[in-house]
Amino acid sequence: MKILLLGSGGREHALAWKMAQSPLCEQLFIAPGNAGTAQYGQNLDIAVSDFEKIKAFCTDNAINLVVPGSEEPLVKGIYDYFQQDAALQHIPVMGPSALGAQLEGSKAFAKQFMLRHNIPTAAYREFSEENYEEGVSYLRQHSLPIVLKADGLAAGKGVVILDNHEEAVDEFTQMIKAAKFGDASKKVVVEQFLTGIELSVFVLTDGHSYQLLPTAKDYKRIGEGDTGLNTGGMGAVSPVPFAGKAFMELVDERIIRPTIAGLEKEKIAYNGFVFFGLISVDGEPFVIEYNCRMGDPETEVIMPRLQNDLLELFNAVAEGKLAGQTIYEDERVATTVMLVAGGYPEEYEKGKVITNIPAPARDQIVFQAGTKATGGEILTNGGRVLTITSLASDLGIALTHSKLTAEKINFEGKYYRRDIGFEFV
């Protein structure tokens, strides 16, 4: 098979690493990729949403499978673009239609979908410029804390939790009136705050059946003890210690099954990953958000624990035969620690030389995220730079191994959280 993977982060490095192991992988191309993905395939100077260039490359190079890593091409309709073009229809795209991708692309769409299918989630209201004053009044009498979510895509940073009514009104105003998150915050969802512990659950679906992948928990806040600004993710662990058999049966019965059945009932084309951002409230699962692709950095702990051939699973999705597959997991625990640029998630510098990245080993892989190769050197090229995944029989041991490597890798301004998995160790 000749595969085109779209994206340039740590998630895409992990997917490239995993797919390249398959005997089915004849050639792997990554657009645009990073210095890490180049170890497993050929990087291309093509943007993830430049569909015309993607089409030309696919037809010129006899591509057999397209794997969008990030949400952008999915929300912009790459699945539909391929389906509607006679020259591309034969190439499976591992992702949902543009309508299916609205589960991530619009918080309001996702909330309405959950209400229609009785899927447990927090109570909410949605506001825009049209009913802004009503929103201000609603916020002033809302119980604290208040959760504000930009309706559209905001690179994982469009969610704000506030403990003060005036700060909430100010943030709400910044979102709607000052376009703090651009078009993403033209509409704002105000959500009930749920108290509990979060986790990420992933399935692969062919639109009818589904297979559950290893669970993970990521850590969004920049500061230790889950403090400070939200980021794209500072680390992750897999599996999630509290997500035992009984809890996961509840998740399956109340959330996963009704979601897949709802998509099929509403005739929403969906082939690929569904990411369920969940919270356990006194042992009861609720949906915080959906994503229409794998998470980052969760992919960096899930792919090393997934023992299946990923391309075999993708073929089963494309053929509608996923029900016949069985998922196998490595019994070891995986942890990943993200190294970020100084100043992230606010202003940071690029172009810093990175040294001492170790080669992949059986129990540790360094996945590259915001990197580029120039003149024989690897340079920082983003806020989240590298993520160090370690596998061990015990969570504490795996975390120790990741942190030891984090100390050895060098670049100017390097920062990482030393407490990933703190509540489980």
Side-chain angles (χ1 to χ4, degrees), residues 208-273:
H208 312 288
S209 58
Y210 60 91
Q211 296 291 345
L212 184 65
L213 301 176
T215 59
K217 175 168 172 45
D218 78 327
Y219 295 80
K220 290 288 188 200
R221 299 295 188 98
I222 189 70
E224 293 180 6
D226 280 340
T227 58
L229 296 172
N230 264 342
T231 71
M234 294 297 293
V237 301
S238 177
V240 180
F242 70 82
K245 186 179 180 210
F247 178 78
M248 290 307 296
E249 283 174 354
L250 286 180
V251 170
D252 188 48
E253 176 191 340
R254 298 179 186 177
I255 294 170
I256 300 174
R257 240 179 287 163
T259 297
I260 304 304
L263 291 167
E264 188 169 19
K265 183 180 179 183
E266 296 189 21
K267 295 182 170 54
I268 297 173
Y270 207 114
N271 297 294
F273 297 109

Side-chain angles (χ1 to χ4, degrees), residues 160 173 192 201:
V160 186
T173 303
Q192 169 197 12
V201 170

Side-chain angles (χ1 to χ4, degrees), residues 269-334:
Y270 207 114
N271 297 294
F273 297 109
V274 188
F275 169 140
F276 300 84
L278 306 183
I279 186 167
S280 172
V281 181
D282 298 324
E284 301 286 327
F286 290 79
V287 178
I288 297 173
E289 65 175 355
Y290 289 111
N291 287 170
C292 60
R293 37 70 190 180
M294 288 295 289
D296 189 350
E298 294 100 327
T299 307
E300 290 94 299
V301 287
I302 290 172
M303 287 302 139
R305 292 195 62 238
L306 179 67
Q307 294 189 319
N308 297 67
D309 181 322
L310 187 57
L311 291 182
E312 280 187 8
L313 292 176
F314 286 162
N315 278 343
V317 168
E319 293 166 6
K321 297 178 179 177
L322 192 60
Q325 297 290 315
T326 302
I327 298 297
Y328 300 98
E329 298 183 18
D330 192 317
E331 292 184 359
R332 291 178 295 171
V333 173

Side-chain angles (χ1 to χ4, degrees), residues 388-423:
I388 304 157
T389 298
S390 301
L391 296 112
S393 58
D394 172 83
L395 184 63
I397 295 170
L399 286 166
T400 298
H401 288 173
S402 286
K403 288 186 279 190
L404 285 171
T405 300
E407 282 301 310
K408 292 174 186 173
I409 295 172
N410 287 312
F411 60 87
E412 186 185 327
K414 175 186 78 177
Y415 169 78
Y416 65 96
R417 275 184 60 171
R418 292 166 171 79
D419 70 336
I420 299 303
F422 67 90
E423 67 270 72

Side-chain angles (χ1 to χ4, degrees), residues 48-182:
V48 297
S49 56
D50 190 338
F51 294 173
E52 289 190 10
K53 280 190 179 177
I54 289 169
K55 173 185 176 176
F57 185 83
C58 288
T59 52
D60 291 349
N61 293 274
I63 294 297
N64 305 112
L65 175 69
V66 174
V67 182
S70 62
E71 64 279 8
E72 182 186 344
L74 293 168
V75 172
K76 289 184 176 177
I78 191 165
Y79 173 91
D80 311 78
Y81 182 86
F82 271 63
Q83 283 292 303
Q84 292 160 12
D85 191 316
L88 300 173
Q89 283 172 351
H90 66 286
I91 305 172
V93 175
M94 277 305 111
S97 62
L99 183 58
Q102 284 298 291
L103 284 179
E104 177 170 3
S106 168
K107 302 290 189 297
F109 177 91
K111 283 290 192 179
Q112 292 156 10
F113 177 88
M114 285 184 265
L115 283 178
R116 287 197 297 275
H117 299 287
N118 299 309
I119 295 164
T121 188
Y124 80 104
R125 289 277 304 274
E126 56 188 78
F127 300 96
S128 63
E129 179 79 51
E130 285 70 36
N131 59 348
Y132 165 79
E133 293 298 339
E134 184 186 342
V136 170
S137 300
Y138 180 73
L139 288 173
R140 291 197 193 281
Q141 54 80 41
H142 199 285
S143 59
L144 296 172
I146 297 171
V147 182
L148 299 177
K149 293 184 173 181
D151 178 59
L153 299 176
K157 298 168 191 171
V159 179
V160 186
I161 302 170
L162 297 152
D163 290 303
N164 177 289
H165 287 103
E166 289 309 312
E167 288 178 6
V169 169
D170 182 59
E171 184 68 26
F172 179 72
T173 303
Q174 289 292 315
M175 284 180 162
I176 289 179
K177 296 285 192 182
K180 180 175 180 178
F181 298 106

